[in-house]
């Protein structure tokens, strides 16, 4: 089983490298990060926080482009792309195909994030060394790694959602629309909860409880946004991180399990 999973994952890794999906996004992100150095002189204070936010935002933008325009096309079914019919022939089971493709794309995402994280740290270190310590006093490597790890967790959750939607609908464009809609709902739901937290409507109708229950299906990606800790000297809260990554693991297991179940039941014709 492990050999089959690794074989499918290796095919997806080679396919992504052959299509220059990683190289193009790395060049784009590096150009954006380098161009951002030109605007740092216009920031009067808290340059470290602004620089770290910019580096992580560029990394998130590159990862989102990879998810929407590469991973969706790899996972989606359509009439022109018959690769899935060949891969699902024996001895490759359908759930092995789903997990193998997921692991291959996750490895490509990890490679992309590692390259961008190293380049981003170099740029932050360059900015810090060119300023007085009072303007950029703190740059913690451990906090920087945790921030990128949180970003990678969000991308893995969206990749699992893409695998789920690819089994529900046929075609790359519907999967793309569903993925974007899902991400917008996950991003907007905490804002809606905050707006109705102290509303008088909760005394009549349990709207806050309903919105809180929806987070089981639409998780709050803000829990994994750790950009603000990069330039802060305080220690990380181990209990909170353990809870967040525990919820992340449960989410992946459930969503990928449902995706494998759908692929087992779905007619590919």
């Amino acid at each position: 089983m492990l050999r089959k999973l690794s074989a499918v994952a290796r095919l997806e890794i080679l396919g992504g490298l052959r299509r220059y999906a990683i190289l193009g996004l790395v060049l784009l992100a590096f150009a954006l990060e380098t161009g951002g150095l030109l605007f740092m002189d216009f920031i009067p204070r808290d340059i470290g926080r602004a620089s770290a936010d910019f580096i992580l935002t560029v990394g998130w933008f590159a990862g989102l482009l990879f998810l929407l325009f590469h991973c969706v096309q790899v996972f989606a079914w359509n009439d022109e792309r018959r690769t899935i019919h060949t891969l699902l022939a024996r001895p490759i089971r359908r759930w092995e195909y789903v997990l193998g493709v997921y692991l291959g794309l996750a490895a490509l995402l990890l490679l992309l994030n590692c390259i961008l994280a190293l380049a981003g740290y170099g740029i932050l270190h360059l900015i810090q060394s060119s300023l007085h310590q009072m303007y950029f006093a703190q740059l913690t490597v451990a906090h920087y790694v945790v921030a990128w790890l949180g970003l990678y967790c969000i991308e893995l959750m969206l990749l699992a959602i893409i695998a789920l939607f690819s089994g529900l609908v046929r075609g790359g464009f519907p999967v793309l629309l569903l993925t974007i809609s899902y991400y917008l709902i996950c991003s907007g739901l905490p804002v809606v909860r905050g707006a109705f937290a102290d509303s008088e409507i909760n005394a009549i109708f349990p709207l806050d409880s309903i919105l809180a229950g929806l987070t089981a299906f639409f998780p709050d990606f803000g829990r994994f946004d750790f950009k603000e800790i990069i330039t802060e000297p305080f220690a990380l809260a181990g209990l909170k991180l353990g809870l967040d990554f525990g919820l992340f693991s449960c989410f992946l297991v459930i969503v990928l399990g449902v995706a494998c179940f759908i692929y087992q039941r779905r007619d590919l014709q």
Side-chain angles (χ1 to χ4, degrees), residues 109-224:
L109 270 174
L110 180 61
L111 176 62
L112 175 63
N113 281 278
C114 288
I115 296 174
L116 295 183
L118 291 174
Y121 184 81
I123 293 175
L124 289 178
H125 184 72
L126 177 62
I127 295 174
Q128 185 186 36
S129 60
S130 62
L131 298 173
H132 193 274
Q133 187 178 5
M134 63 178 296
Y135 297 107
F136 198 162
Q138 190 74 25
L139 180 59
T140 308
V141 177
H143 293 186
Y144 185 77
V145 172
V146 171
W148 275 96
L149 185 60
L151 189 68
Y152 183 59
C153 289
I154 299 175
E155 294 170 350
L156 289 182
M157 294 167 72
L158 285 177
L159 182 59
I161 290 298
I162 291 174
L164 175 62
F165 287 155
S166 67
L168 293 173
V169 298
R170 186 183 300 271
F173 187 66
V175 175
L176 177 64
L177 290 181
L178 288 174
T179 304
I180 294 176
S181 301
Y182 184 86
Y183 171 70
L184 292 178
I185 293 174
C186 292
S187 301
L189 189 59
V191 180
V192 177
R193 288 187 61 191
F196 288 94
D198 299 326
S199 178
E200 296 180 357
I201 194 175
N202 290 316
I204 304 173
F205 186 73
L207 182 60
D208 187 64
S209 300
I210 295 176
L211 293 176
L214 287 177
T215 56
F217 305 96
F218 303 98
D220 182 11
F221 292 147
R223 298 177 64 97
F224 301 92

